[in-house]
Amino acid sequence: MDYARYFGDRVAELKKEGRYRVFADLSRQVGNYPIATYRDGHREHEVVVWCSNDYLGMGQHPAVRAAFCEAVNRYGAGAGGTRNISGTNHPIVLLEAELAELHGKEAALVFTSGYISNEASLSTLAALMPGCVIYSDEFNHASMIQGMRASRMPKRIFRHNDPAHLAQLLAEAEPGAPKIVAFESVYSMDGDIAPIAALCDAADRHGAMTYLDEVHAVGMYGRRGGGIADRDGVMHRLTVIEGTLAKGFGVMGGYIAAAAPIVDAVRSFAPSFIFTTALPPGISAAALAAVRHLKASGVERERHQERAALCKRLLIQAGLPVMPSDSHIVPVLVGDPKLCRQVTDLLLDEYAVYIQPINYPTVPRGTERLRITPTPFHDDRMMRHLAESLQAVWTRLRLRRAA
């Protein structure tokens, strides 16, 4: 068998469908966010980035950069191995204490990414409880789904953001069986927000633990940046809160916060935690600085919400098909993978606007879209240029406009 040819054919199928992913060669500019230098092999030019998950620009914050450099100069660049073998670098100890306090929990555990924190935690917690049944929102992230699969425990899927359907499924379970209800706060592709209190009500009535993914909300919502559960005053009702350090906090890594025995169980039994090299001290210190800053400052959150609202308003006024969103995420429907790629290529090459196409399997077929994420640093001029550029591309490609 010609293995190279076989796998080449699989990639060719992606290209034919218009779903092949191309990585853009971008260099962010310190102090000039969201401007970046784009290189396409023939030339380089400046572009405005409109799809970064560094939602608040904290990856460029002076305090975050200073903490990173100080830790590298003090401790070195690497962690030296897993925490079991090499020990825990002190910035991680401080970071975990800060995250536990942020979410009002006894303990926290840091992972190398949000994907790993979901995969490790859900797979381990469910597998440790014989007969456990997992109840999953139908739109949950791939990392959560992978964790559920790895647990080898049965899964029931409830309709998106539907507490009544969740309650119905929970009522059908064995009364004494352990149960986990897993859902997100902000859903990253549609921008809608879960009814956390109502989902907790259903879980409580049937003795289920709750697992909330706050990755697209931590840092950006709540009085101190604890996420939607912080904003809504329901953090105490969640058994496990999972978050990321790579979006609102602008660095890298994931974490869970929960009662100490739950965190200790994941730490002690999750292979993808036990056998993975720890976050380096520089990254841990930088994340710690970001968390501490956003606990004390609400300026970034307020500006972020104002910018997102303005962006939605301008695009709607331009007649573009902006999908409904309750959060800072601004999805614009295209509905075809090849057209989606054409849109983003034209925006990049002719208008210096960088947005990546979002295609299947990230979103269902037929709902391909642009996913725009304004930051506090996108000014009015950038907003107007985005709206005008999108209007021009929509006209050129004869795309569907808002009804």
Side-chain angles (χ1 to χ4, degrees):
M1 181 175 182
D2 186 339
Y3 293 104
R5 180 176 179 179
Y6 175 83
F7 291 112
D9 289 344
R10 302 290 79 74
V11 172
E13 291 171 6
L14 280 180
K15 292 181 178 179
K16 185 177 180 180
E17 293 176 25
R19 296 194 293 119
Y20 182 70
R21 298 168 191 255
V22 178
F23 295 161
D25 185 351
L26 288 176
S27 298
R28 303 205 302 174
Q29 301 174 5
V30 170
N32 203 23
Y33 189 68
I35 303 297
T37 301
Y38 169 65
R39 298 175 179 85
D40 65 1
H42 307 291
R43 63 187 179 115
E44 61 179 56
H45 61 101
E46 288 189 344
V47 298
V48 179
V49 177
W50 281 97
C51 56
S52 174
N53 281 346
D54 187 358
Y55 292 130
L56 301 178
M58 290 302 296
Q60 308 246 334
H61 194 282
V64 175
R65 291 189 286 114
F68 183 93
C69 294
E70 181 183 350
V72 169
N73 289 332
R74 183 174 181 181
Y75 302 110
T82 68
R83 293 169 72 176
N84 291 326
I85 293 173
S86 297
T88 294
N89 66 71
H90 191 56
I92 284 188
V93 176
L94 298 177
L95 175 59
E96 288 176 339
E98 202 75 32
L99 290 167
E101 197 278 334
L102 173 65
H103 293 292
K105 303 298 183 186
E106 292 179 341
L109 187 66
V110 168
F111 300 80
T112 51
S113 74
Y115 188 104
I116 294 297
S117 59
N118 269 334
E119 184 275 330
S121 301
L122 281 168
S123 63
T124 300
L125 293 172
L128 286 175
M129 296 187 290
C132 180
V133 181
I134 306 172
Y135 296 82
S136 173
D137 187 286
E138 65 175 320
F139 285 0
N140 274 341
H141 189 266
S143 58
M144 301 175 78
I145 295 169
Q146 183 58 34
M148 296 172 204
R149 285 175 179 161
S151 76
R152 299 185 179 179
M153 292 295 154
K155 178 177 67 174
R156 303 287 182 268
I157 298 175
F158 61 92
R159 288 188 293 270
H160 179 53
N161 282 349
D162 190 337
H165 189 223
L166 170 62
Q168 176 187 330
L169 294 178
L170 286 166
E172 296 170 359
E174 291 292 330
K179 308 170 190 71
I180 299 175
V181 176
F183 55 99
E184 302 179 37
S185 59
V186 175
Y187 286 83
S188 62
M189 292 301 132
D190 293 313
D192 54 337
I193 294 175
I196 298 175
L199 293 170
C200 287
D201 289 342
D204 290 347
R205 284 197 301 271
H206 297 277
M209 65 182 285
T210 46
Y211 184 102
L212 174 65
D213 177 320
E214 286 262 40
V215 297
H216 291 277
V218 288
M220 296 167 291
Y221 295 87
R223 184 174 60 86
R224 299 192 307 155
I228 297 296
D230 179 16
R231 184 197 72 176
D232 294 351
V234 294
M235 286 195 297
H236 63 287
R237 301 194 62 186
L238 282 309
T239 313
V240 179
I241 295 176
E242 185 265 348
T244 184
L245 304 168
K247 295 180 172 65
F249 296 127
V251 192
M252 175 186 176
Y255 66 89
I256 59 167
I262 294 174
V263 171
D264 202 20
V266 176
R267 184 191 69 84
S268 301
F269 289 98
S272 50
F273 173 81
I274 294 169
F275 299 107
T276 297
T277 297
L279 278 185
I283 290 176
S284 304
L288 174 63
V291 174
R292 284 177 172 171
H293 175 83
L294 289 173
K295 274 185 174 181
S297 172
V299 172
E300 293 83 0
R301 284 187 285 279
E302 292 171 8
R303 172 74 172 172
H304 187 220
Q305 290 297 312
E306 184 272 329
R307 293 286 88 187
L310 176 60
C311 184
K312 290 177 188 176
R313 188 161 64 249
L314 289 176
L315 299 189
I316 290 170
Q317 289 172 356
L320 295 160
V322 178
M323 302 169 72
S325 167
D326 301 319
S327 67
H328 58 280
I329 293 164
V330 186
V332 180
L333 181 67
V334 178
D336 178 273
K338 292 181 179 178
L339 285 174
C340 210
R341 168 55 67 184
Q342 282 184 266
V343 169
T344 56
D345 285 348
L346 283 171
L347 288 171
L348 182 59
D349 294 337
E350 299 187 17
Y351 298 92
V353 168
Y354 175 70
I355 307 174
Q356 271 288 13
I358 304 296
N359 293 329
Y360 177 84
T362 307
V363 295
R365 295 181 191 276
T367 69
E368 293 82 3
R369 68 197 66 176
L370 309 183
R371 177 182 176 273
I372 298 168
T373 54
T375 74
F377 301 95
H378 285 92
D379 60 28
D380 288 357
R381 179 185 58 80
M382 294 176 182
M383 295 272 185
R384 290 193 297 270
H385 177 68
L386 173 67
E388 292 164 2
S389 301
L390 286 170
Q391 269 192 314
V393 170
W394 243 253
T395 299
R396 183 166 166 180
L397 297 179
R398 300 181 180 180
L399 299 177
R400 286 178 296 175
R401 294 185 176 266

